[in-house]
Amino acid sequence: MNSPATEVVRLLAVRAETLAVAESLTGGLVAAEITAAPGASKAFRGSVTAYATELKHELLGVDATLLAERGAVDPQVAAQMAAGVRKALGADWGIATTGVAGPEEQDGKPVGTVYVAIDGPTPELSGGGKVASLRLNGDRAEIRMESVRSVLALLLQELAGEQTGNERAQDTERNGGF
């Protein structure tokens, strides 16, 4: 079976759609996974690694008041990062990661608190996105790698049209092993 990143690239290519990535705690790992997939240049627009909180506002358009009140580790921040990178890089899809990999808590959030988000061209996603809240165990490296896997799985689920509770599934490209 193909890796999640390879499958994401394949589905995006079939759909003639593009992807942009906004990363915080993963520090470029999501972009590295995607660009390791064959054919990534057909679908991957680029990424922004906004590790510093102020860059989330300056480069990705995350609301400064939201960042000041809730900190960078917040589901709304993740959603705004995904929407912001999608807009900034002119992509059909935007995905984002933010969270606490450790070794210490951040903004009052415990180690392992992670939010991954997607923003896309469908009415259900555009501007509001979909966010998954994760509570991950493990060391710093394990939390970061599980965050990569989780954001790719969330996007893959959306691209494959298997979202639960939304049987309108606008994806008509359900070819191959689905």
mmCIF file with all atom_site columns, all heavy atoms in Angstrom, residues 47-75:
data_model
loop_
_atom_site.group_PDB
_atom_site.id
_atom_site.type_symbol
_atom_site.label_atom_id
_atom_site.label_alt_id
_atom_site.label_comp_id
_atom_site.label_asym_id
_atom_site.label_entity_id
_atom_site.label_seq_id
_atom_site.pdbx_PDB_ins_code
_atom_site.Cartn_x
_atom_site.Cartn_y
_atom_site.Cartn_z
_atom_site.occupancy
_atom_site.B_iso_or_equiv
_atom_site.pdbx_formal_charge
_atom_site.auth_seq_id
_atom_site.auth_comp_id
_atom_site.auth_asym_id
_atom_site.auth_atom_id
_atom_site.pdbx_PDB_model_num
ATOM 1   N N   . SER A 1 47 ? 5.170   25.417 1.321  1.00 0.00 ? 47 SER A N   1
ATOM 2   C CA  . SER A 1 47 ? 4.814   25.406 2.737  1.00 0.00 ? 47 SER A CA  1
ATOM 3   C C   . SER A 1 47 ? 5.364   26.630 3.445  1.00 0.00 ? 47 SER A C   1
ATOM 4   O O   . SER A 1 47 ? 6.295   27.264 2.978  1.00 0.00 ? 47 SER A O   1
ATOM 5   C CB  . SER A 1 47 ? 5.357   24.138 3.409  1.00 0.00 ? 47 SER A CB  1
ATOM 6   O OG  . SER A 1 47 ? 6.772   24.151 3.410  1.00 0.00 ? 47 SER A OG  1
ATOM 7   N N   . VAL A 1 48 ? 4.755   26.911 4.595  1.00 0.00 ? 48 VAL A N   1
ATOM 8   C CA  . VAL A 1 48 ? 5.224   27.964 5.497  1.00 0.00 ? 48 VAL A CA  1
ATOM 9   C C   . VAL A 1 48 ? 5.415   27.307 6.859  1.00 0.00 ? 48 VAL A C   1
ATOM 10  O O   . VAL A 1 48 ? 4.473   26.742 7.418  1.00 0.00 ? 48 VAL A O   1
ATOM 11  C CB  . VAL A 1 48 ? 4.199   29.117 5.601  1.00 0.00 ? 48 VAL A CB  1
ATOM 12  C CG1 . VAL A 1 48 ? 4.618   30.111 6.678  1.00 0.00 ? 48 VAL A CG1 1
ATOM 13  C CG2 . VAL A 1 48 ? 4.019   29.798 4.258  1.00 0.00 ? 48 VAL A CG2 1
ATOM 14  N N   . THR A 1 49 ? 6.639   27.358 7.370  1.00 0.00 ? 49 THR A N   1
ATOM 15  C CA  . THR A 1 49 ? 6.893   26.871 8.721  1.00 0.00 ? 49 THR A CA  1
ATOM 16  C C   . THR A 1 49 ? 6.913   28.098 9.618  1.00 0.00 ? 49 THR A C   1
ATOM 17  O O   . THR A 1 49 ? 7.904   28.826 9.662  1.00 0.00 ? 49 THR A O   1
ATOM 18  C CB  . THR A 1 49 ? 8.223   26.099 8.795  1.00 0.00 ? 49 THR A CB  1
ATOM 19  O OG1 . THR A 1 49 ? 8.156   24.988 7.899  1.00 0.00 ? 49 THR A OG1 1
ATOM 20  C CG2 . THR A 1 49 ? 8.469   25.578 10.211 1.00 0.00 ? 49 THR A CG2 1
ATOM 21  N N   . ALA A 1 50 ? 5.774   28.331 10.257 1.00 0.00 ? 50 ALA A N   1
ATOM 22  C CA  . ALA A 1 50 ? 5.610   29.502 11.128 1.00 0.00 ? 50 ALA A CA  1
ATOM 23  C C   . ALA A 1 50 ? 5.747   29.035 12.572 1.00 0.00 ? 50 ALA A C   1
ATOM 24  O O   . ALA A 1 50 ? 4.764   28.848 13.276 1.00 0.00 ? 50 ALA A O   1
ATOM 25  C CB  . ALA A 1 50 ? 4.254   30.151 10.874 1.00 0.00 ? 50 ALA A CB  1
ATOM 26  N N   . TYR A 1 51 ? 6.980   28.836 12.983 1.00 0.00 ? 51 TYR A N   1
ATOM 27  C CA  . TYR A 1 51 ? 7.242   28.313 14.323 1.00 0.00 ? 51 TYR A CA  1
ATOM 28  C C   . TYR A 1 51 ? 6.999   29.386 15.379 1.00 0.00 ? 51 TYR A C   1
ATOM 29  O O   . TYR A 1 51 ? 6.392   29.127 16.405 1.00 0.00 ? 51 TYR A O   1
ATOM 30  C CB  . TYR A 1 51 ? 8.688   27.807 14.374 1.00 0.00 ? 51 TYR A CB  1
ATOM 31  C CG  . TYR A 1 51 ? 8.926   26.685 15.347 1.00 0.00 ? 51 TYR A CG  1
ATOM 32  C CD1 . TYR A 1 51 ? 8.322   25.443 15.184 1.00 0.00 ? 51 TYR A CD1 1
ATOM 33  C CD2 . TYR A 1 51 ? 9.791   26.861 16.414 1.00 0.00 ? 51 TYR A CD2 1
ATOM 34  C CE1 . TYR A 1 51 ? 8.558   24.418 16.077 1.00 0.00 ? 51 TYR A CE1 1
ATOM 35  C CE2 . TYR A 1 51 ? 10.035  25.833 17.304 1.00 0.00 ? 51 TYR A CE2 1
ATOM 36  C CZ  . TYR A 1 51 ? 9.419   24.616 17.137 1.00 0.00 ? 51 TYR A CZ  1
ATOM 37  O OH  . TYR A 1 51 ? 9.653   23.593 18.021 1.00 0.00 ? 51 TYR A OH  1
ATOM 38  N N   . ALA A 1 52 ? 7.442   30.595 15.108 1.00 0.00 ? 52 ALA A N   1
ATOM 39  C CA  . ALA A 1 52 ? 7.231   31.714 16.032 1.00 0.00 ? 52 ALA A CA  1
ATOM 40  C C   . ALA A 1 52 ? 5.778   32.184 15.937 1.00 0.00 ? 52 ALA A C   1
ATOM 41  O O   . ALA A 1 52 ? 5.225   32.291 14.843 1.00 0.00 ? 52 ALA A O   1
ATOM 42  C CB  . ALA A 1 52 ? 8.176   32.864 15.699 1.00 0.00 ? 52 ALA A CB  1
ATOM 43  N N   . THR A 1 53 ? 5.179   32.442 17.076 1.00 0.00 ? 53 THR A N   1
ATOM 44  C CA  . THR A 1 53 ? 3.764   32.815 17.125 1.00 0.00 ? 53 THR A CA  1
ATOM 45  C C   . THR A 1 53 ? 3.440   34.016 16.244 1.00 0.00 ? 53 THR A C   1
ATOM 46  O O   . THR A 1 53 ? 2.453   34.003 15.519 1.00 0.00 ? 53 THR A O   1
ATOM 47  C CB  . THR A 1 53 ? 3.331   33.065 18.584 1.00 0.00 ? 53 THR A CB  1
ATOM 48  O OG1 . THR A 1 53 ? 3.511   31.855 19.321 1.00 0.00 ? 53 THR A OG1 1
ATOM 49  C CG2 . THR A 1 53 ? 1.872   33.479 18.675 1.00 0.00 ? 53 THR A CG2 1
ATOM 50  N N   . GLU A 1 54 ? 4.282   35.058 16.264 1.00 0.00 ? 54 GLU A N   1
ATOM 51  C CA  . GLU A 1 54 ? 3.965   36.254 15.479 1.00 0.00 ? 54 GLU A CA  1
ATOM 52  C C   . GLU A 1 54 ? 3.935   35.969 13.975 1.00 0.00 ? 54 GLU A C   1
ATOM 53  O O   . GLU A 1 54 ? 3.231   36.632 13.222 1.00 0.00 ? 54 GLU A O   1
ATOM 54  C CB  . GLU A 1 54 ? 4.914   37.419 15.801 1.00 0.00 ? 54 GLU A CB  1
ATOM 55  C CG  . GLU A 1 54 ? 6.346   37.222 15.362 1.00 0.00 ? 54 GLU A CG  1
ATOM 56  C CD  . GLU A 1 54 ? 7.234   36.536 16.397 1.00 0.00 ? 54 GLU A CD  1
ATOM 57  O OE1 . GLU A 1 54 ? 6.724   36.005 17.400 1.00 0.00 ? 54 GLU A OE1 1
ATOM 58  O OE2 . GLU A 1 54 ? 8.462   36.549 16.194 1.00 0.00 ? 54 GLU A OE2 1
ATOM 59  N N   . LEU A 1 55 ? 4.676   34.961 13.524 1.00 0.00 ? 55 LEU A N   1
ATOM 60  C CA  . LEU A 1 55 ? 4.656   34.619 12.095 1.00 0.00 ? 55 LEU A CA  1
ATOM 61  C C   . LEU A 1 55 ? 3.333   34.000 11.673 1.00 0.00 ? 55 LEU A C   1
ATOM 62  O O   . LEU A 1 55 ? 2.948   34.107 10.507 1.00 0.00 ? 55 LEU A O   1
ATOM 63  C CB  . LEU A 1 55 ? 5.809   33.680 11.751 1.00 0.00 ? 55 LEU A CB  1
ATOM 64  C CG  . LEU A 1 55 ? 7.207   34.287 11.875 1.00 0.00 ? 55 LEU A CG  1
ATOM 65  C CD1 . LEU A 1 55 ? 8.258   33.261 11.518 1.00 0.00 ? 55 LEU A CD1 1
ATOM 66  C CD2 . LEU A 1 55 ? 7.334   35.535 11.026 1.00 0.00 ? 55 LEU A CD2 1
ATOM 67  N N   . LYS A 1 56 ? 2.645   33.382 12.605 1.00 0.00 ? 56 LYS A N   1
ATOM 68  C CA  . LYS A 1 56 ? 1.323   32.838 12.291 1.00 0.00 ? 56 LYS A CA  1
ATOM 69  C C   . LYS A 1 56 ? 0.386   33.974 11.879 1.00 0.00 ? 56 LYS A C   1
ATOM 70  O O   . LYS A 1 56 ? -0.428  33.819 10.980 1.00 0.00 ? 56 LYS A O   1
ATOM 71  C CB  . LYS A 1 56 ? 0.770   32.054 13.476 1.00 0.00 ? 56 LYS A CB  1
ATOM 72  C CG  . LYS A 1 56 ? 1.526   30.757 13.739 1.00 0.00 ? 56 LYS A CG  1
ATOM 73  C CD  . LYS A 1 56 ? 1.079   30.108 15.035 1.00 0.00 ? 56 LYS A CD  1
ATOM 74  C CE  . LYS A 1 56 ? 1.839   28.847 15.339 1.00 0.00 ? 56 LYS A CE  1
ATOM 75  N NZ  . LYS A 1 56 ? 3.278   29.007 15.542 1.00 0.00 ? 56 LYS A NZ  1
ATOM 76  N N   . HIS A 1 57 ? 0.548   35.111 12.518 1.00 0.00 ? 57 HIS A N   1
ATOM 77  C CA  . HIS A 1 57 ? -0.242  36.299 12.151 1.00 0.00 ? 57 HIS A CA  1
ATOM 78  C C   . HIS A 1 57 ? 0.318   36.956 10.890 1.00 0.00 ? 57 HIS A C   1
ATOM 79  O O   . HIS A 1 57 ? -0.409  37.203 9.932  1.00 0.00 ? 57 HIS A O   1
ATOM 80  C CB  . HIS A 1 57 ? -0.272  37.300 13.304 1.00 0.00 ? 57 HIS A CB  1
ATOM 81  C CG  . HIS A 1 57 ? -0.852  38.626 12.926 1.00 0.00 ? 57 HIS A CG  1
ATOM 82  N ND1 . HIS A 1 57 ? -2.188  38.778 12.601 1.00 0.00 ? 57 HIS A ND1 1
ATOM 83  C CD2 . HIS A 1 57 ? -0.273  39.842 12.776 1.00 0.00 ? 57 HIS A CD2 1
ATOM 84  C CE1 . HIS A 1 57 ? -2.405  40.041 12.283 1.00 0.00 ? 57 HIS A CE1 1
ATOM 85  N NE2 . HIS A 1 57 ? -1.265  40.710 12.372 1.00 0.00 ? 57 HIS A NE2 1
ATOM 86  N N   . GLU A 1 58 ? 1.625   37.213 10.886 1.00 0.00 ? 58 GLU A N   1
ATOM 87  C CA  . GLU A 1 58 ? 2.238   37.989 9.808  1.00 0.00 ? 58 GLU A CA  1
ATOM 88  C C   . GLU A 1 58 ? 2.209   37.264 8.464  1.00 0.00 ? 58 GLU A C   1
ATOM 89  O O   . GLU A 1 58 ? 1.977   37.894 7.430  1.00 0.00 ? 58 GLU A O   1
ATOM 90  C CB  . GLU A 1 58 ? 3.681   38.341 10.173 1.00 0.00 ? 58 GLU A CB  1
ATOM 91  C CG  . GLU A 1 58 ? 3.767   39.307 11.349 1.00 0.00 ? 58 GLU A CG  1
ATOM 92  C CD  . GLU A 1 58 ? 5.175   39.439 11.914 1.00 0.00 ? 58 GLU A CD  1
ATOM 93  O OE1 . GLU A 1 58 ? 6.144   38.934 11.294 1.00 0.00 ? 58 GLU A OE1 1
ATOM 94  O OE2 . GLU A 1 58 ? 5.306   40.044 12.994 1.00 0.00 ? 58 GLU A OE2 1
ATOM 95  N N   . LEU A 1 59 ? 2.467   35.970 8.434  1.00 0.00 ? 59 LEU A N   1
ATOM 96  C CA  . LEU A 1 59 ? 2.561   35.234 7.174  1.00 0.00 ? 59 LEU A CA  1
ATOM 97  C C   . LEU A 1 59 ? 1.284   34.495 6.792  1.00 0.00 ? 59 LEU A C   1
ATOM 98  O O   . LEU A 1 59 ? 1.024   34.285 5.608  1.00 0.00 ? 59 LEU A O   1
ATOM 99  C CB  . LEU A 1 59 ? 3.709   34.223 7.228  1.00 0.00 ? 59 LEU A CB  1
ATOM 100 C CG  . LEU A 1 59 ? 5.102   34.796 7.423  1.00 0.00 ? 59 LEU A CG  1
ATOM 101 C CD1 . LEU A 1 59 ? 6.126   33.674 7.531  1.00 0.00 ? 59 LEU A CD1 1
ATOM 102 C CD2 . LEU A 1 59 ? 5.461   35.747 6.285  1.00 0.00 ? 59 LEU A CD2 1
ATOM 103 N N   . LEU A 1 60 ? 0.509   34.091 7.808  1.00 0.00 ? 60 LEU A N   1
ATOM 104 C CA  . LEU A 1 60 ? -0.654  33.248 7.536  1.00 0.00 ? 60 LEU A CA  1
ATOM 105 C C   . LEU A 1 60 ? -1.981  33.942 7.825  1.00 0.00 ? 60 LEU A C   1
ATOM 106 O O   . LEU A 1 60 ? -3.037  33.364 7.568  1.00 0.00 ? 60 LEU A O   1
ATOM 107 C CB  . LEU A 1 60 ? -0.559  31.951 8.358  1.00 0.00 ? 60 LEU A CB  1
ATOM 108 C CG  . LEU A 1 60 ? 0.667   31.096 8.050  1.00 0.00 ? 60 LEU A CG  1
ATOM 109 C CD1 . LEU A 1 60 ? 0.779   29.948 9.060  1.00 0.00 ? 60 LEU A CD1 1
ATOM 110 C CD2 . LEU A 1 60 ? 0.620   30.564 6.625  1.00 0.00 ? 60 LEU A CD2 1
ATOM 111 N N   . GLY A 1 61 ? -1.925  35.145 8.365  1.00 0.00 ? 61 GLY A N   1
ATOM 112 C CA  . GLY A 1 61 ? -3.154  35.894 8.602  1.00 0.00 ? 61 GLY A CA  1
ATOM 113 C C   . GLY A 1 61 ? -3.984  35.429 9.776  1.00 0.00 ? 61 GLY A C   1
ATOM 114 O O   . GLY A 1 61 ? -5.167  35.747 9.875  1.00 0.00 ? 61 GLY A O   1
ATOM 115 N N   . VAL A 1 62 ? -3.379  34.678 10.702 1.00 0.00 ? 62 VAL A N   1
ATOM 116 C CA  . VAL A 1 62 ? -4.114  34.260 11.901 1.00 0.00 ? 62 VAL A CA  1
ATOM 117 C C   . VAL A 1 62 ? -4.406  35.511 12.727 1.00 0.00 ? 62 VAL A C   1
ATOM 118 O O   . VAL A 1 62 ? -3.548  36.377 12.900 1.00 0.00 ? 62 VAL A O   1
ATOM 119 C CB  . VAL A 1 62 ? -3.313  33.225 12.719 1.00 0.00 ? 62 VAL A CB  1
ATOM 120 C CG1 . VAL A 1 62 ? -4.040  32.872 14.018 1.00 0.00 ? 62 VAL A CG1 1
ATOM 121 C CG2 . VAL A 1 62 ? -3.060  31.965 11.896 1.00 0.00 ? 62 VAL A CG2 1
ATOM 122 N N   . ASP A 1 63 ? -5.621  35.609 13.223 1.00 0.00 ? 63 ASP A N   1
ATOM 123 C CA  . ASP A 1 63 ? -6.082  36.761 13.984 1.00 0.00 ? 63 ASP A CA  1
ATOM 124 C C   . ASP A 1 63 ? -5.175  37.014 15.191 1.00 0.00 ? 63 ASP A C   1
ATOM 125 O O   . ASP A 1 63 ? -4.988  36.131 16.033 1.00 0.00 ? 63 ASP A O   1
ATOM 126 C CB  . ASP A 1 63 ? -7.527  36.524 14.431 1.00 0.00 ? 63 ASP A CB  1
ATOM 127 C CG  . ASP A 1 63 ? -8.088  37.714 15.170 1.00 0.00 ? 63 ASP A CG  1
ATOM 128 O OD1 . ASP A 1 63 ? -8.350  38.734 14.521 1.00 0.00 ? 63 ASP A OD1 1
ATOM 129 O OD2 . ASP A 1 63 ? -8.250  37.614 16.402 1.00 0.00 ? 63 ASP A OD2 1
ATOM 130 N N   . ALA A 1 64 ? -4.626  38.232 15.269 1.00 0.00 ? 64 ALA A N   1
ATOM 131 C CA  . ALA A 1 64 ? -3.697  38.588 16.352 1.00 0.00 ? 64 ALA A CA  1
ATOM 132 C C   . ALA A 1 64 ? -4.364  38.536 17.716 1.00 0.00 ? 64 ALA A C   1
ATOM 133 O O   . ALA A 1 64 ? -3.735  38.129 18.702 1.00 0.00 ? 64 ALA A O   1
ATOM 134 C CB  . ALA A 1 64 ? -3.110  39.973 16.089 1.00 0.00 ? 64 ALA A CB  1
ATOM 135 N N   . THR A 1 65 ? -5.625  38.933 17.801 1.00 0.00 ? 65 THR A N   1
ATOM 136 C CA  . THR A 1 65 ? -6.347  38.896 19.075 1.00 0.00 ? 65 THR A CA  1
ATOM 137 C C   . THR A 1 65 ? -6.523  37.448 19.538 1.00 0.00 ? 65 THR A C   1
ATOM 138 O O   . THR A 1 65 ? -6.350  37.143 20.722 1.00 0.00 ? 65 THR A O   1
ATOM 139 C CB  . THR A 1 65 ? -7.707  39.599 18.951 1.00 0.00 ? 65 THR A CB  1
ATOM 140 O OG1 . THR A 1 65 ? -7.487  40.930 18.493 1.00 0.00 ? 65 THR A OG1 1
ATOM 141 C CG2 . THR A 1 65 ? -8.437  39.633 20.280 1.00 0.00 ? 65 THR A CG2 1
ATOM 142 N N   . LEU A 1 66 ? -6.854  36.571 18.609 1.00 0.00 ? 66 LEU A N   1
ATOM 143 C CA  . LEU A 1 66 ? -6.985  35.145 18.929 1.00 0.00 ? 66 LEU A CA  1
ATOM 144 C C   . LEU A 1 66 ? -5.670  34.606 19.487 1.00 0.00 ? 66 LEU A C   1
ATOM 145 O O   . LEU A 1 66 ? -5.657  33.918 20.517 1.00 0.00 ? 66 LEU A O   1
ATOM 146 C CB  . LEU A 1 66 ? -7.397  34.358 17.678 1.00 0.00 ? 66 LEU A CB  1
ATOM 147 C CG  . LEU A 1 66 ? -7.447  32.842 17.803 1.00 0.00 ? 66 LEU A CG  1
ATOM 148 C CD1 . LEU A 1 66 ? -8.560  32.406 18.748 1.00 0.00 ? 66 LEU A CD1 1
ATOM 149 C CD2 . LEU A 1 66 ? -7.649  32.211 16.424 1.00 0.00 ? 66 LEU A CD2 1
ATOM 150 N N   . LEU A 1 67 ? -4.570  34.930 18.838 1.00 0.00 ? 67 LEU A N   1
ATOM 151 C CA  . LEU A 1 67 ? -3.263  34.464 19.301 1.00 0.00 ? 67 LEU A CA  1
ATOM 152 C C   . LEU A 1 67 ? -2.939  35.021 20.681 1.00 0.00 ? 67 LEU A C   1
ATOM 153 O O   . LEU A 1 67 ? -2.420  34.311 21.535 1.00 0.00 ? 67 LEU A O   1
ATOM 154 C CB  . LEU A 1 67 ? -2.174  34.865 18.305 1.00 0.00 ? 67 LEU A CB  1
ATOM 155 C CG  . LEU A 1 67 ? -2.168  34.086 16.991 1.00 0.00 ? 67 LEU A CG  1
ATOM 156 C CD1 . LEU A 1 67 ? -1.282  34.775 15.967 1.00 0.00 ? 67 LEU A CD1 1
ATOM 157 C CD2 . LEU A 1 67 ? -1.727  32.655 17.217 1.00 0.00 ? 67 LEU A CD2 1
ATOM 158 N N   . ALA A 1 68 ? -3.268  36.296 20.900 1.00 0.00 ? 68 ALA A N   1
ATOM 159 C CA  . ALA A 1 68 ? -2.987  36.929 22.195 1.00 0.00 ? 68 ALA A CA  1
ATOM 160 C C   . ALA A 1 68 ? -3.832  36.320 23.314 1.00 0.00 ? 68 ALA A C   1
ATOM 161 O O   . ALA A 1 68 ? -3.349  36.126 24.430 1.00 0.00 ? 68 ALA A O   1
ATOM 162 C CB  . ALA A 1 68 ? -3.236  38.431 22.105 1.00 0.00 ? 68 ALA A CB  1
ATOM 163 N N   . GLU A 1 69 ? -5.094  36.009 23.004 1.00 0.00 ? 69 GLU A N   1
ATOM 164 C CA  . GLU A 1 69 ? -6.000  35.491 24.035 1.00 0.00 ? 69 GLU A CA  1
ATOM 165 C C   . GLU A 1 69 ? -5.832  34.004 24.291 1.00 0.00 ? 69 GLU A C   1
ATOM 166 O O   . GLU A 1 69 ? -5.941  33.550 25.425 1.00 0.00 ? 69 GLU A O   1
ATOM 167 C CB  . GLU A 1 69 ? -7.450  35.770 23.628 1.00 0.00 ? 69 GLU A CB  1
ATOM 168 C CG  . GLU A 1 69 ? -7.816  37.239 23.709 1.00 0.00 ? 69 GLU A CG  1
ATOM 169 C CD  . GLU A 1 69 ? -9.224  37.541 23.212 1.00 0.00 ? 69 GLU A CD  1
ATOM 170 O OE1 . GLU A 1 69 ? -9.911  36.602 22.732 1.00 0.00 ? 69 GLU A OE1 1
ATOM 171 O OE2 . GLU A 1 69 ? -9.625  38.717 23.294 1.00 0.00 ? 69 GLU A OE2 1
ATOM 172 N N   . ARG A 1 70 ? -5.592  33.222 23.251 1.00 0.00 ? 70 ARG A N   1
ATOM 173 C CA  . ARG A 1 70 ? -5.577  31.765 23.406 1.00 0.00 ? 70 ARG A CA  1
ATOM 174 C C   . ARG A 1 70 ? -4.224  31.117 23.181 1.00 0.00 ? 70 ARG A C   1
ATOM 175 O O   . ARG A 1 70 ? -4.054  29.942 23.471 1.00 0.00 ? 70 ARG A O   1
ATOM 176 C CB  . ARG A 1 70 ? -6.579  31.136 22.437 1.00 0.00 ? 70 ARG A CB  1
ATOM 177 C CG  . ARG A 1 70 ? -7.997  31.574 22.721 1.00 0.00 ? 70 ARG A CG  1
ATOM 178 C CD  . ARG A 1 70 ? -8.963  30.612 22.116 1.00 0.00 ? 70 ARG A CD  1
ATOM 179 N NE  . ARG A 1 70 ? -10.303 31.176 22.067 1.00 0.00 ? 70 ARG A NE  1
ATOM 180 C CZ  . ARG A 1 70 ? -11.231 30.810 21.212 1.00 0.00 ? 70 ARG A CZ  1
ATOM 181 N NH1 . ARG A 1 70 ? -10.980 29.879 20.323 1.00 0.00 ? 70 ARG A NH1 1
ATOM 182 N NH2 . ARG A 1 70 ? -12.419 31.363 21.236 1.00 0.00 ? 70 ARG A NH2 1
ATOM 183 N N   . GLY A 1 71 ? -3.281  31.862 22.618 1.00 0.00 ? 71 GLY A N   1
ATOM 184 C CA  . GLY A 1 71 ? -1.980  31.284 22.297 1.00 0.00 ? 71 GLY A CA  1
ATOM 185 C C   . GLY A 1 71 ? -2.033  30.555 20.967 1.00 0.00 ? 71 GLY A C   1
ATOM 186 O O   . GLY A 1 71 ? -3.074  30.486 20.307 1.00 0.00 ? 71 GLY A O   1
ATOM 187 N N   . ALA A 1 72 ? -0.893  30.006 20.583 1.00 0.00 ? 72 ALA A N   1
ATOM 188 C CA  . ALA A 1 72 ? -0.766  29.379 19.265 1.00 0.00 ? 72 ALA A CA  1
ATOM 189 C C   . ALA A 1 72 ? -1.362  27.976 19.212 1.00 0.00 ? 72 ALA A C   1
ATOM 190 O O   . ALA A 1 72 ? -1.641  27.471 18.124 1.00 0.00 ? 72 ALA A O   1
ATOM 191 C CB  . ALA A 1 72 ? 0.703   29.327 18.869 1.00 0.00 ? 72 ALA A CB  1
ATOM 192 N N   . VAL A 1 73 ? -1.552  27.350 20.360 1.00 0.00 ? 73 VAL A N   1
ATOM 193 C CA  . VAL A 1 73 ? -2.057  25.975 20.394 1.00 0.00 ? 73 VAL A CA  1
ATOM 194 C C   . VAL A 1 73 ? -3.555  26.020 20.654 1.00 0.00 ? 73 VAL A C   1
ATOM 195 O O   . VAL A 1 73 ? -4.018  26.004 21.788 1.00 0.00 ? 73 VAL A O   1
ATOM 196 C CB  . VAL A 1 73 ? -1.310  25.136 21.454 1.00 0.00 ? 73 VAL A CB  1
ATOM 197 C CG1 . VAL A 1 73 ? -1.797  23.706 21.445 1.00 0.00 ? 73 VAL A CG1 1
ATOM 198 C CG2 . VAL A 1 73 ? 0.190   25.194 21.210 1.00 0.00 ? 73 VAL A CG2 1
ATOM 199 N N   . ASP A 1 74 ? -4.311  26.107 19.556 1.00 0.00 ? 74 ASP A N   1
ATOM 200 C CA  . ASP A 1 74 ? -5.744  26.308 19.642 1.00 0.00 ? 74 ASP A CA  1
ATOM 201 C C   . ASP A 1 74 ? -6.379  25.818 18.341 1.00 0.00 ? 74 ASP A C   1
ATOM 202 O O   . ASP A 1 74 ? -5.790  25.987 17.272 1.00 0.00 ? 74 ASP A O   1
ATOM 203 C CB  . ASP A 1 74 ? -6.023  27.810 19.835 1.00 0.00 ? 74 ASP A CB  1
ATOM 204 C CG  . ASP A 1 74 ? -7.494  28.112 19.975 1.00 0.00 ? 74 ASP A CG  1
ATOM 205 O OD1 . ASP A 1 74 ? -8.020  27.956 21.096 1.00 0.00 ? 74 ASP A OD1 1
ATOM 206 O OD2 . ASP A 1 74 ? -8.118  28.483 18.961 1.00 0.00 ? 74 ASP A OD2 1
ATOM 207 N N   . PRO A 1 75 ? -7.575  25.217 18.418 1.00 0.00 ? 75 PRO A N   1
ATOM 208 C CA  . PRO A 1 75 ? -8.200  24.722 17.191 1.00 0.00 ? 75 PRO A CA  1
ATOM 209 C C   . PRO A 1 75 ? -8.500  25.816 16.168 1.00 0.00 ? 75 PRO A C   1
ATOM 210 O O   . PRO A 1 75 ? -8.339  25.602 14.957 1.00 0.00 ? 75 PRO A O   1
ATOM 211 C CB  . PRO A 1 75 ? -9.476  24.036 17.677 1.00 0.00 ? 75 PRO A CB  1
ATOM 212 C CG  . PRO A 1 75 ? -9.687  24.465 19.084 1.00 0.00 ? 75 PRO A CG  1
ATOM 213 C CD  . PRO A 1 75 ? -8.359  24.877 19.613 1.00 0.00 ? 75 PRO A CD  1
#
